[in-house]
Amino acid sequence: MAEDIQHSQKSNFNGLTKSAKAGASKKLVIKNFKDRPKLTDSYTEDTWMKLRDAVSAIQNSTSIKYNLEELYQAVENLCSYKVSPMLYKQLRQSGTESLDSLSFLKRMNRCWQDHCRQTIMIRSIFLFLDRTYVLQNSLLPSIWDTGLELFRTHIISDGAVQSRTVEGILEQIERERNGETVDRSLLRSLLGMLSDLQVYKDSFEQRFLMETNRLYAAEGQRLMQERDVPEYLHHVARRLEEENDRVISYLDLSTQKPLIATVEKQLLGEHMNAILQKGLRMLLDENRVCELTLLYELFSKVKGGLTALLQAWREYIKSFGGEIVSSPERDKEMVQELLDFKDKMDHVTQRCFQRNDSFINAMKEAFESFINKRPNKPAELIAKYVDSKLRAGNKEATEEELERILDKIMIIFRFIHGKDVFEAFYKKDLAKRLLVGKSASVDAEKSMLSKLKHECGAAFTSKLEGMFKDMELSKDIMIQFKQGKKELQVSLFQTLVLLMFNESDECSVEEIRAATGIEDGELKRTLQSLACGKARVLNKTPRGKDVEDGDRFHFNSDFRHKLFRIKINQIQMKETVEEQVSTTERVFQDRQYQIDAAVVRIMKMRKTLSHNLLVSELYNQLKFPVKPADLKKRIESLIDRDYMERDKENPNQYHYVA
C-alpha cells in the first residue's frame, strides 16, 4: 500500500509540474535578468513557504491556494539564482516529514474511510442482490463483509502496512501517556478499523499490553525511589483513571481488564511491601485519612493486597500500643493515650477501611496482645482512671460525656486478662469515694457497676453492690438525724465522733478511739476535719493543725456559719506505697485460694489425674494468668494438708483423698 500511495503522489506531482511548465512557457517567461525579482532572504523565505504549502496540499489531496504558473515561475527564479541545492534539500526534507508516523496514520485513516464510503455506496446499489441472493446463500459473505475482506487481504494484511500502522498507534499512545495531546478521534477510527477487520487482538492488543507492561514496570521502579508514598499513591490512582479513560475513548472494551491488571501489577503488585514499609506508619501517625482510604482502595484491587495491608496494620498497632504500655514514665497518661489510640484506629477502620470485619478483628487481637505484655499494671491504672472520672470535683465532662467515657473504658477493659487486679483496686477506690462522700454521681457509679456486671457476671460485682446497699442504709439513718438551726453534711466516721458529744461536752482522743473503734489514722483525719478545718464544730486543746494522742476536744458552742446546710469535707490521705503493696498482696492471696479451690474441685470430680492433665484443667478454669511454678506450689501445699496424695509408683500421678 505504501508504494501505491507514493506512486500516486509522484504521478500527481509530475502532472501538476508539466501543466505548470506548459502554462509558464505560454504565459510567463522572464528571459531578461533585470526583470527577475531581487533575491533577498525575505523573498526566498516567502517563496519557500508558498511552495511548501502547495506540496503539503498535494500530499493531503486538498486544494492548492496558489496559481500553478506562479509556483512554477518561482521555482525557476530560485534556480536561476543558484539556490537549487538548498531548494532541493528543503523539498526532500518536506517529503520526509510528510511520511512520518502521524501523517501515515492520517492517510491510512482516509484510505479506510474512503473504502467504507465506497463499500456503502456499492452496497446501496446492489442492496436487492444483498438481501435476496446473498442472504439466501449462507456460504456467501454479505457485500459489506466482502468489502472488509478485500481491504484486509490487499491492504492491512501487508506486513509493512500493518506494522507501520500498529507502530504509529503505539507511538501516539506513548506520547499521550507522556503528557502530549494526540488526536483521539484518529486513534478511535484506526482501532475500530482493526477491530472491524478482526485483527485487533493479534496485531495490536498483544503488542500494546507488552509495551504497557514495559512502560509501567520502569515507571514503578523509578517513582518508588523518587517520590514519597502519598505522592506515589495519587500517581497510581491517576494512571488507572487515565487508562480507563483510554478504554472509553478509543480502545476496545475487551482490552480494559488485561490493561488495568497490567497497570495494577506493575505499579502496585510489585511494590506492595515497599509501599507498606516505607509509608504505612507515616500515614497512620499523621492520620492521613485521604491517603489511607486510597491505599485501601488500591490494595483491594491487587491479589494479596488486603492480606498484606492487614498484617502490616496489625503489626503497627502492636508496636505503637506496646510503646504506650511498656513505658513506666508514661503511666500517668497511659489510659488516656490508650483511649485516644483506640478512637484513632476505630476512625481509620470506619472511614478508610470500609468497616472491614477482618481489620476490626485484627485490631482487637492486636490490642489484646500488647496490653497484656505488662501484667497487672494496665488493670490497676484503668481502675484509677475510672476513679478520677467518678470522683467529685471532676468538671471535665457532662453526664452524657461521662457515660461515653465509661463505655470507652469498658472496651479497653475487655482486653485485660488480669481482671481481678482491676476489681481489687476499683473496690478500694469505690469504698473511699462512698465513705468520704466524694462520688460525683450515684447514677454514674451504678452505671459503671451495671457495665461490669454485664461484662464479668454477677459474682464479680456482688461485693461492690453490697457497698451501695450499706451506703443507702446509712443515708436513711442520716436523714433521720437532724439538729435546732444548722444541718451538717458529714461522713459516717464524722457522725460517730459527733454523736459522742451528745453525752459529753469534752472527750479525749483515747476516749473517742475506744468508743468508735475507728482505726487510728482514719480517726485523726476525721478529728482534723472537725476541729482544724474551715467549719470547726469542735475545739481542740492544745491548738494546732495536727492531732496527737492526749489531745482533748470539746463541742464548739460558739460555732457560727452563714449557710443552713454545711458540708464538712473529710481530709483524704493519698494512697501510699504500702497500700498499693497491700492491695497487690491481697490479690495474690485471693488467687491462691482460687487455685486451691480449683485443684480440689477437679480432683474431687476426676479422683485420679496426672500432673500435666491437672495443670491443663487448671489453665482452662482459672481466669487470671498464673505460672506453672505457682501451680506446683499450691499442689504441694494441698498434699501437705491431706487433700490429695501422690501415687506411690508414679510421682506424677495424684489421687484425691476423701
Side-chain angles (χ1 to χ4, degrees), residues 386-452:
V386 174
D387 177 61
S388 70
K389 295 301 179 183
L390 295 178
R391 187 180 295 276
N394 174 33
K395 300 180 181 179
E396 298 177 6
T398 63
E399 290 187 5
E400 294 78 8
E401 291 171 343
L402 180 59
E403 187 68 18
R404 284 196 293 270
I405 291 173
L406 296 180
D407 287 334
K408 292 179 180 180
I409 290 172
M410 289 305 300
I411 294 175
I412 302 296
F413 173 76
R414 292 189 187 105
F415 299 134
I416 296 174
H417 290 165
K419 291 182 172 59
D420 55 342
V421 176
F422 172 87
E423 179 192 12
F425 281 95
Y426 182 80
K427 182 167 63 176
K428 175 175 65 65
D429 293 332
L430 175 61
K432 288 183 178 181
R433 291 197 300 275
L434 295 178
L435 287 174
V436 300
K438 285 291 185 179
S439 179
S441 167
V442 176
D443 291 338
E445 295 281 7
K446 291 184 176 180
S447 175
M448 186 63 187
L449 274 184
S450 176
K451 298 178 193 299
L452 291 172

Side-chain angles (χ1 to χ4, degrees), residues 83-102:
V83 292
S84 300
M86 180 272 293
L87 183 61
Y88 181 80
K89 181 179 179 181
Q90 290 181 329
L91 176 62
R92 186 174 181 85
Q93 182 179 352
S94 176
T96 302
E97 291 174 354
S98 69
L99 294 177
D100 64 9
S101 61
L102 181 58

